[in-house]
Amino acid sequence: MASVDSTGSSVSGRLRSGDLLHAGLAVALLLGVWTVGGLEVSTGKVSSIEAMNGSTVLLPCTYSSCIGIENLYFNWQYNDNGTLIKLCEALIPMEGVEPKVRVLHERVEFVGSSKRNNISILLWNITFEDEGEYICFARNPKEKNRNHSAIFTLIVVDQMKEVDNTLTIIIVSALGGVIGLVIIVMVIKAVVVHFLQKDDEKNKECLVSSSGNDNTENGLSGAKNENKGTPKA
Ligand SMILES: *[C@@H]1O[C@H](CO)[C@@H](O)[C@H](O)[C@H]1NC(C)=O
Ligand SMILES: *[C@@H]1O[C@H](CO)[C@@H](O)[C@H](O)[C@H]1NC(C)=O
Ligand SMILES: *[C@@H]1O[C@H](CO)[C@@H](O)[C@H](O)[C@H]1NC(C)=O
Ligand SMILES: *[C@@H]1O[C@H](CO)[C@@H](O)[C@H](O)[C@H]1NC(C)=O
Ligand SMILES: *[C@@H]1O[C@H](CO)[C@@H](O)[C@H](O)[C@H]1NC(C)=O
């Protein structure tokens, strides 16, 4: 819009840009209808996951289609260094009818449901060899067999999380220690202040008379305030 305004100084220019605008709008509308109408497969907002070896991971995938589905074919494939290995496949006859899934991998379990447009799978007991790209593929005959796919990346990590845990424990205990130390220091301070206060009362005349000692009194009153706060904690 802004560019149209800047170039549209002459009448002809304005006309041309107006035509362009209409053409652009038409194209955008067509594209919009095209994309909204077609099938879409998605692995969700997060397209990769880091999981520990030995764990079981969910490989998520959902589909959506405004024109509806009929005999929707889908499969999951693993990209083994360029070679696609089929993990499972199925046909969803129509919306809401659960597919009979043919599973071709011993550790794959279909956990989706066509009622929720969900064609996710579980991969059990993962090993480091399972790392890589998993492709969720779908084809809807209703829209000229156009192919749709989404890629999900699995990263298998060693039990590094435990190191993180120990680090957290170290940090937490260190923090706890520091807090404990602070409390001890405060208690000691309170006790010392308490005794100093008693001394104060005895030496009050001396403190008032000299300016140098004023600071000590300020410091002490500050300590008194902190001292009041401690019983609450
Ligand atoms: C994960 O891998 C490490 C090193 O290869 C191994 O020691 C550990 O037992 C494995 N964990 C599981 C649960 O398989
Ligand atoms: C993967 O492919 C590359 C070349 O494309 C090859 O050098 C490598 O050995 C392959 N790795 C496996 C595990 O097959
Ligand atoms: C995963 O591992 C557990 C324990 O080792 C085993 O009981 C289970 O059968 C395995 N599951 C699959 C699907 O391999
Ligand atoms: C798909 O189904 C699985 C298993 O029931 C569930 O864990 C997952 O959250 C579902 N995904 C979506 C996007 O609904
Ligand atoms: C869709 O994928 C199949 C393989 O599953 C392939 O044979 C076919 O040519 C693809 N169609 C298009 C339009 O890309």
Side-chain angles (χ1 to χ4, degrees):
M1 285 293 209
S3 63
V4 170
D5 284 348
S6 64
T7 51
S9 49
S10 72
V11 179
S12 64
R14 221 176 277 158
L15 267 173
R16 234 184 293 135
S17 47
D19 285 349
L20 261 173
L21 200 71
H22 282 136
L25 259 171
V27 168
L29 267 171
L30 267 170
L31 274 175
V33 167
W34 185 259
T35 44
V36 165
L39 183 75
E40 269 178 56
V41 288
S42 159
T43 54
K45 288 193 191 79
V46 184
S47 62
S48 77
I49 190 177
E50 248 180 59
M52 261 199 315
N53 63 334
S55 62
T56 296
V57 291
L58 176 81
L59 305 179
C61 188
T62 55
Y63 62 86
S64 63
S65 175
C66 282
I67 53 170
I69 58 155
E70 201 183 308
N71 288 329
L72 175 88
Y73 168 83
F74 75 84
N75 69 26
W76 270 96
Q77 284 162 294
Y78 171 61
N79 185 351
D80 186 16
N81 209 9
T83 337
L84 292 179
I85 296 165
K86 208 181 280 172
L87 304 175
C88 71
E89 63 180 348
L91 211 64
I92 301 177
M94 49 181 165
E95 257 152 306
V97 175
E98 295 298 344
K100 287 187 185 71
V101 183
R102 195 159 74 96
V103 178
L104 306 152
H105 187 288
E106 56 183 2
R107 285 183 288 115
V108 162
E109 185 190 337
F110 180 75
V111 292
S113 163
S114 60
K115 289 193 183 68
R116 280 171 283 127
N117 294 358
N118 187 334
I119 47 175
S120 309
I121 56 169
L122 277 185
L123 186 60
W124 283 85
N125 303 346
I126 57 166
T127 66
F128 289 104
E129 283 89 73
D130 293 332
E131 191 164 278
E133 286 180 349
Y134 290 82
I135 299 144
C136 174
F137 171 93
R139 195 195 304 132
N140 191 11
K142 250 194 170 177
E143 43 165 324
K144 294 174 188 164
N145 277 329
R146 257 162 54 98
N147 291 339
H148 301 271
S149 61
I151 296 174
F152 193 81
T153 307
L154 175 67
I155 300 152
V156 181
V157 293
D158 206 351
Q159 278 137 328
M160 296 278 266
K161 295 268 156 63
E162 275 193 11
V163 177
D164 284 352
N165 277 348
T166 45
L167 198 73
T168 320
I169 289 164
I170 288 167
I171 291 167
V172 165
S173 43
L175 256 174
V178 167
I179 289 167
L181 210 71
V182 165
I183 289 170
I184 288 166
V185 165
M186 280 171 119
V187 167
I188 290 172
K189 213 174 175 182
V191 171
V192 168
V193 164
H194 184 74
F195 278 106
L196 277 179
Q197 239 174 328
K198 280 192 174 167
D199 283 354
D200 244 15
E201 272 157 26
K202 287 180 201 157
N203 305 333
K204 211 162 196 173
E205 283 178 16
C206 309
L207 284 169
V208 171
S209 62
S210 105
S211 63
N213 281 330
D214 263 359
N215 288 335
T216 14
E217 189 162 47
N218 285 341
L220 282 176
S221 65
K224 268 183 236 159
N225 286 342
E226 267 179 45
N227 178 20
K228 275 175 202 160
T230 41
K232 282 176 206 157

